[in-house]
Amino acid sequence: MAVLAAAGCTGQVDERRAGAARQQVALKKKAVPKPLPPRRMDCAAVKCLALTFDDGPGEYTARVLDDLRKAGARATFYMLGQNVGSHPDVVRRMPLEGHEVANHSWSHADMTGLSSGAVRSEVRRTQEAIKRASGVAPTSFRPPYGSTDARVGKAVGMPQILWSVDSLDWLHRNVRKNVRAGVSEPEKGGVVLFHDIHKPTVTAVPEILAGLKKRGFTLVTVTELFQGQRLDPGGRYTELGEKGPTVAQ
């Protein structure tokens, strides 16, 4: 009887342990964070602006994410596929904090100088890299140098998002000029181009965010900006409210 009782107690302990283990697994599954969905925005009424950052991810991108989080702002990151593998945690963080991941080609080649097959390869490889790192597949493309045409647009197969304000941060690498361009030049419904690979740009971000907030802007992702407007695959867009897609010839 004593042996049977001991065996019974052991079985109960094992069952409790198994139950606890199952509960821990369930809790871990529930705790897996999910990307924040786009907010419902009426950018025809709200003073919306989309900040976009190209050519990353890089060594400074996490700082940009930190500053955006502190400001309660969202942005869109047009990333190079060849850079994604070096910063997977940063890319994963983007959609979890409400930012949009987007495609800027694999190698930053001029798409008009590539064959249609090569364009498709650049896009596809980048889609796969970003999806693998973030769990989210991009829905828009930005051609390097803004260089595109009808053939490229057809090969890309996604809306092509350009910009209404080019900060020229890649050229002057100057914090004060970045702030001036980022705060003074944008208009409602605009898309602003920066590069998160340049330290002076990243240094300017907190002041840019504060200045835009003071001007009354709500900082949104590209998808949030255009959610009330149809975007055609291959179409080229620079700001909200365009009468239709502009396709370079």
Side-chain angles (χ1 to χ4, degrees), residues 31-240:
V32 174
K34 295 183 178 180
L36 294 178
R39 300 164 293 184
R40 296 297 302 172
M41 305 294 298
D42 182 5
C43 289
V46 177
K47 192 176 180 181
C48 294
L49 181 71
L51 291 184
T52 64
F53 295 90
D54 283 15
D55 294 357
E59 60 179 312
Y60 307 119
T61 305
R63 282 180 55 190
V64 176
L65 293 175
D66 290 342
D67 291 328
L68 290 168
R69 183 175 57 190
K70 291 174 185 176
R74 295 193 183 189
T76 301
F77 292 84
Y78 282 94
M79 292 179 281
L80 296 177
Q82 65 183 8
N83 292 343
V84 170
S86 299
H87 306 276
D89 292 341
V90 172
V91 178
R92 175 60 177 158
R93 181 180 163 188
M94 291 172 182
L96 295 178
E97 297 183 4
H99 308 298
E100 184 169 353
V101 294
N103 193 317
H104 193 38
S105 82
W106 180 265
S107 64
H108 208 276
D110 184 334
M111 297 291 103
T112 61
L114 301 181
S115 68
S116 295
V119 171
R120 287 191 290 269
S121 177
E122 288 264 341
V123 173
R124 176 185 54 78
R125 293 174 68 195
T126 304
Q127 290 288 103
E128 292 172 353
I130 293 174
K131 176 70 181 295
R132 187 163 52 247
S134 71
V136 178
T139 57
S140 70
F141 177 78
R142 173 169 286 165
Y145 315 105
S147 180
T148 187
D149 56 27
R151 180 186 61 83
V152 169
K154 183 177 180 180
V156 167
M158 290 187 288
Q160 300 178 93
I161 307 299
L162 301 184
W163 52 85
S164 57
V165 175
D166 184 350
S167 66
L168 297 177
D169 60 338
W170 58 272
L171 177 63
H172 50 63
R173 314 286 179 94
N174 181 280
V175 173
R176 297 318 310 163
K177 289 183 178 180
N178 289 336
V179 171
R180 184 160 53 250
V183 174
S184 301
E185 295 183 21
E187 299 295 338
K188 177 182 175 182
V191 178
V192 185
L193 168 62
F194 283 109
H195 297 79
D196 51 311
I197 61 170
H198 300 311
K199 188 174 181 179
T201 298
V202 176
T203 300
V205 165
E207 193 170 346
I208 292 169
L209 296 175
L212 291 172
K213 181 178 180 180
K214 188 174 182 180
R215 288 190 60 197
F217 283 107
T218 296
L219 299 179
V220 300
T221 65
V222 164
T223 290
E224 290 172 339
L225 180 69
F226 288 105
Q227 66 184 201
Q229 179 178 332
R230 175 180 171 176
L231 301 184
D232 296 326
R236 186 178 67 172
Y237 303 86
T238 60
E239 61 187 343
L240 180 65

